[in-house]
Amino acid sequence: IEEVNLPTPTDVEDDYMENEQRKNEFSLIKRLLNQLSPRQREALTLYYIEEKKYEDICEIMNMNYQSVRNLMHRGLSKLRTLAS
């Protein structure tokens, strides 16, 4: 006889709570990113989401290395301030 593991109400509730938590976190991140300048948002997205290197971001955004670093720093600082 094959044993079947049916989800318990607790499993279903835990899954629901985790899903809601993910939705809330995604919503918060989206709200915070929308408060950045378009250039800051683009740079951070390229670096953290698309995993581009600084040199690639410089090319894509047509900016020099130090300007990209400054843009990233200001964007991250603003995110930290908004999130606290």
Side-chain angles (χ1 to χ4, degrees), residues 18-34:
E18 284 177 25
N19 192 28
E20 285 300 304
Q21 180 68 28
R22 273 193 299 275
K23 281 184 198 175
N24 289 339
E25 288 169 356
F26 181 75
S27 178
L28 173 62
I29 291 168
K30 197 171 172 182
R31 263 196 332 273
L32 293 174
L33 285 174
N34 283 334

Side-chain angles (χ1 to χ4, degrees), residues 43 45-57 60:
T45 299
L46 288 168
Y47 187 79
Y48 288 104
I49 307 297
E50 297 183 23
E51 299 180 349
K52 302 285 187 191
K53 292 184 166 70
Y54 278 104
E55 291 79 11
D56 298 328
I57 297 170
I60 292 167

Side-chain angles (χ1 to χ4, degrees), residues 1 8 17-18 21 30 35 52 56 59-60 71 73:
I1 296 178
T8 66
M17 295 299 287
E18 284 177 25
Q21 180 68 28
K30 197 171 172 182
Q35 294 184 52
K52 302 285 187 191
D56 298 328
E59 259 184 60
I60 292 167
L71 190 65
H73 176 74

